[in-house]
PDB file of all heavy atoms in Angstrom:
ATOM      1  N   VAL C 385      33.446   0.786 -54.802  1.00 98.00           N
ATOM      2  CA  VAL C 385      34.326  -0.355 -54.479  1.00 98.00           C
ATOM      3  C   VAL C 385      34.920  -0.945 -55.787  1.00 98.00           C
ATOM      4  O   VAL C 385      34.339  -0.787 -56.846  1.00 98.00           O
ATOM      5  CB  VAL C 385      33.573  -1.447 -53.729  1.00 98.00           C
ATOM      6  CG1 VAL C 385      33.197  -0.994 -52.311  1.00 98.00           C
ATOM      7  CG2 VAL C 385      32.368  -1.966 -54.440  1.00 98.00           C
ATOM      8  N   GLU C 386      36.082  -1.540 -55.654  1.00 98.00           N
ATOM      9  CA  GLU C 386      36.795  -2.169 -56.805  1.00 98.00           C
ATOM     10  C   GLU C 386      36.411  -3.615 -56.890  1.00 98.00           C
ATOM     11  O   GLU C 386      36.466  -4.328 -55.839  1.00 98.00           O
ATOM     12  CB  GLU C 386      38.277  -2.047 -56.600  1.00 98.00           C
ATOM     13  CG  GLU C 386      38.829  -0.694 -56.292  1.00 98.00           C
ATOM     14  CD  GLU C 386      38.696   0.283 -57.547  1.00 98.00           C
ATOM     15  OE1 GLU C 386      38.660  -0.281 -58.666  1.00 98.00           O
ATOM     16  OE2 GLU C 386      38.609   1.488 -57.315  1.00 98.00           O
ATOM     17  N   SER C 387      36.177  -4.062 -58.121  1.00 98.00           N
ATOM     18  CA  SER C 387      35.938  -5.553 -58.249  1.00 98.00           C
ATOM     19  C   SER C 387      37.224  -6.282 -58.567  1.00 98.00           C
ATOM     20  O   SER C 387      37.221  -7.480 -58.559  1.00 98.00           O
ATOM     21  CB  SER C 387      34.897  -5.785 -59.417  1.00 98.00           C
ATOM     22  OG  SER C 387      35.566  -5.610 -60.623  1.00 98.00           O
ATOM     23  N   HIS C 388      38.278  -5.540 -58.869  1.00 98.00           N
ATOM     24  CA  HIS C 388      39.551  -6.185 -59.295  1.00 98.00           C
ATOM     25  C   HIS C 388      39.310  -7.153 -60.524  1.00 98.00           C
ATOM     26  O   HIS C 388      39.944  -8.228 -60.597  1.00 98.00           O
ATOM     27  CB  HIS C 388      40.189  -6.923 -58.180  1.00 98.00           C
ATOM     28  CG  HIS C 388      40.551  -6.017 -57.040  1.00 98.00           C
ATOM     29  ND1 HIS C 388      41.821  -5.376 -56.928  1.00 98.00           N
ATOM     30  CD2 HIS C 388      39.858  -5.554 -55.938  1.00 98.00           C
ATOM     31  CE1 HIS C 388      41.838  -4.615 -55.844  1.00 98.00           C
ATOM     32  NE2 HIS C 388      40.640  -4.684 -55.291  1.00 98.00           N
ATOM     33  N   ASP C 389      38.342  -6.762 -61.375  1.00 97.00           N
ATOM     34  CA  ASP C 389      38.033  -7.526 -62.562  1.00 97.00           C
ATOM     35  C   ASP C 389      37.611  -8.936 -62.253  1.00 97.00           C
ATOM     36  O   ASP C 389      37.695  -9.856 -63.082  1.00 97.00           O
ATOM     37  CB  ASP C 389      39.323  -7.628 -63.499  1.00 97.00           C
ATOM     38  CG  ASP C 389      39.509  -6.415 -64.267  1.00 97.00           C
ATOM     39  OD1 ASP C 389      38.495  -5.818 -64.708  1.00 97.00           O
ATOM     40  OD2 ASP C 389      40.694  -6.011 -64.486  1.00 97.00           O
ATOM     41  N   ASP C 390      37.092  -9.132 -61.027  1.00 98.00           N
ATOM     42  CA  ASP C 390      36.667 -10.469 -60.579  1.00 98.00           C
ATOM     43  C   ASP C 390      35.138 -10.523 -60.524  1.00 98.00           C
ATOM     44  O   ASP C 390      34.535  -9.781 -59.777  1.00 98.00           O
ATOM     45  CB  ASP C 390      37.291 -10.770 -59.160  1.00 98.00           C
ATOM     46  CG  ASP C 390      37.008 -12.186 -58.715  1.00 98.00           C
ATOM     47  OD1 ASP C 390      35.962 -12.722 -59.096  1.00 98.00           O
ATOM     48  OD2 ASP C 390      37.825 -12.691 -57.908  1.00 98.00           O
ATOM     49  N   HIS C 391      34.554 -11.359 -61.388  1.00 98.00           N
ATOM     50  CA  HIS C 391      33.120 -11.530 -61.464  1.00 98.00           C
ATOM     51  C   HIS C 391      32.459 -11.695 -60.116  1.00 98.00           C
ATOM     52  O   HIS C 391      31.389 -11.050 -59.880  1.00 98.00           O
ATOM     53  CB  HIS C 391      32.765 -12.633 -62.397  1.00 98.00           C
ATOM     54  CG  HIS C 391      33.385 -14.001 -62.132  1.00 98.00           C
ATOM     55  ND1 HIS C 391      32.701 -15.129 -62.228  1.00 98.00           N
ATOM     56  CD2 HIS C 391      34.687 -14.315 -61.811  1.00 98.00           C
ATOM     57  CE1 HIS C 391      33.491 -16.170 -61.935  1.00 98.00           C
ATOM     58  NE2 HIS C 391      34.699 -15.673 -61.662  1.00 98.00           N
ATOM     59  N   ARG C 392      33.004 -12.529 -59.260  1.00 98.00           N
ATOM     60  CA  ARG C 392      32.253 -12.827 -58.065  1.00 98.00           C
ATOM     61  C   ARG C 392      32.308 -11.661 -57.034  1.00 98.00           C
ATOM     62  O   ARG C 392      31.414 -11.473 -56.218  1.00 98.00           O
ATOM     63  CB  ARG C 392      32.788 -14.189 -57.399  1.00 98.00           C
ATOM     64  CG  ARG C 392      32.600 -15.326 -58.378  1.00 98.00           C
ATOM     65  CD  ARG C 392      32.468 -16.652 -57.738  1.00 98.00           C
ATOM     66  NE  ARG C 392      32.563 -17.713 -58.743  1.00 98.00           N
ATOM     67  CZ  ARG C 392      31.566 -18.148 -59.536  1.00 98.00           C
ATOM     68  NH1 ARG C 392      30.352 -17.591 -59.405  1.00 98.00           N
ATOM     69  NH2 ARG C 392      31.758 -19.127 -60.376  1.00 98.00           N
ATOM     70  N   ILE C 393      33.462 -10.912 -57.061  1.00 98.00           N
ATOM     71  CA  ILE C 393      33.544  -9.757 -56.210  1.00 98.00           C
ATOM     72  C   ILE C 393      32.569  -8.709 -56.691  1.00 98.00           C
ATOM     73  O   ILE C 393      31.836  -8.071 -55.851  1.00 98.00           O
ATOM     74  CB  ILE C 393      34.937  -9.178 -56.297  1.00 98.00           C
ATOM     75  CG1 ILE C 393      36.076 -10.183 -55.966  1.00 98.00           C
ATOM     76  CG2 ILE C 393      35.072  -7.902 -55.395  1.00 98.00           C
ATOM     77  CD1 ILE C 393      36.053 -10.701 -54.520  1.00 98.00           C
ATOM     78  N   ALA C 394      32.423  -8.552 -58.009  1.00 98.00           N
ATOM     79  CA  ALA C 394      31.490  -7.472 -58.509  1.00 98.00           C
ATOM     80  C   ALA C 394      30.061  -7.814 -58.110  1.00 98.00           C
ATOM     81  O   ALA C 394      29.314  -6.972 -57.634  1.00 98.00           O
ATOM     82  CB  ALA C 394      31.615  -7.501 -60.043  1.00 98.00           C
ATOM     83  N   MET C 395      29.666  -9.071 -58.284  1.00 98.00           N
ATOM     84  CA  MET C 395      28.300  -9.417 -57.997  1.00 98.00           C
ATOM     85  C   MET C 395      27.999  -9.437 -56.460  1.00 98.00           C
ATOM     86  O   MET C 395      26.939  -9.064 -55.976  1.00 98.00           O
ATOM     87  CB  MET C 395      27.897 -10.802 -58.534  1.00 98.00           C
ATOM     88  CG  MET C 395      27.825 -10.706 -60.127  1.00 98.00           C
ATOM     89  SD  MET C 395      27.268 -12.226 -60.936  1.00 98.00           S
ATOM     90  CE  MET C 395      28.799 -13.170 -60.994  1.00 98.00           C
ATOM     91  N   ALA C 396      29.002  -9.795 -55.641  1.00 98.00           N
ATOM     92  CA  ALA C 396      28.859  -9.718 -54.188  1.00 98.00           C
ATOM     93  C   ALA C 396      28.596  -8.288 -53.739  1.00 98.00           C
ATOM     94  O   ALA C 396      27.655  -8.066 -52.938  1.00 98.00           O
ATOM     95  CB  ALA C 396      30.082 -10.296 -53.509  1.00 98.00           C
ATOM     96  N   PHE C 397      29.289  -7.332 -54.261  1.00 98.00           N
ATOM     97  CA  PHE C 397      28.991  -5.877 -53.848  1.00 98.00           C
ATOM     98  C   PHE C 397      27.730  -5.367 -54.364  1.00 98.00           C
ATOM     99  O   PHE C 397      27.130  -4.509 -53.790  1.00 98.00           O
ATOM    100  CB  PHE C 397      30.246  -5.031 -54.156  1.00 98.00           C
ATOM    101  CG  PHE C 397      31.376  -5.219 -53.217  1.00 98.00           C
ATOM    102  CD1 PHE C 397      32.609  -5.654 -53.613  1.00 98.00           C
ATOM    103  CD2 PHE C 397      31.188  -5.010 -51.864  1.00 98.00           C
ATOM    104  CE1 PHE C 397      33.674  -5.948 -52.705  1.00 98.00           C
ATOM    105  CE2 PHE C 397      32.213  -5.215 -50.903  1.00 98.00           C
ATOM    106  CZ  PHE C 397      33.398  -5.698 -51.345  1.00 98.00           C
ATOM    107  N   ALA C 398      27.326  -5.925 -55.459  1.00 98.00           N
ATOM    108  CA  ALA C 398      25.927  -5.544 -55.961  1.00 98.00           C
ATOM    109  C   ALA C 398      24.835  -5.946 -54.961  1.00 98.00           C
ATOM    110  O   ALA C 398      23.945  -5.149 -54.636  1.00 98.00           O
ATOM    111  CB  ALA C 398      25.665  -6.161 -57.329  1.00 98.00           C
ATOM    112  N   VAL C 399      25.068  -7.097 -54.336  1.00 98.00           N
ATOM    113  CA  VAL C 399      24.135  -7.632 -53.415  1.00 98.00           C
ATOM    114  C   VAL C 399      24.122  -6.789 -52.092  1.00 98.00           C
ATOM    115  O   VAL C 399      23.153  -6.489 -51.489  1.00 98.00           O
ATOM    116  CB  VAL C 399      24.432  -9.130 -53.094  1.00 98.00           C
ATOM    117  CG1 VAL C 399      23.671  -9.600 -51.894  1.00 98.00           C
ATOM    118  CG2 VAL C 399      24.117 -10.000 -54.304  1.00 98.00           C
ATOM    119  N   ALA C 400      25.366  -6.311 -51.790  1.00 98.00           N
ATOM    120  CA  ALA C 400      25.514  -5.499 -50.523  1.00 98.00           C
ATOM    121  C   ALA C 400      24.604  -4.282 -50.498  1.00 98.00           C
ATOM    122  O   ALA C 400      24.178  -3.807 -49.464  1.00 98.00           O
ATOM    123  CB  ALA C 400      26.994  -5.150 -50.388  1.00 98.00           C
ATOM    124  N   ALA C 401      24.344  -3.739 -51.736  1.00 98.00           N
ATOM    125  CA  ALA C 401      23.530  -2.482 -51.809  1.00 98.00           C
ATOM    126  C   ALA C 401      22.158  -2.623 -51.210  1.00 98.00           C
ATOM    127  O   ALA C 401      21.566  -1.635 -50.759  1.00 98.00           O
ATOM    128  CB  ALA C 401      23.433  -2.079 -53.229  1.00 98.00           C
TER     129      ALA C 401
END
Side-chain angles (χ1 to χ4, degrees):
V385 291
E386 306 291 336
S387 76
H388 298 270
D389 282 322
D390 184 331
H391 52 138
R392 301 206 191 279
I393 305 294
M395 291 184 276
F397 282 119
V399 168

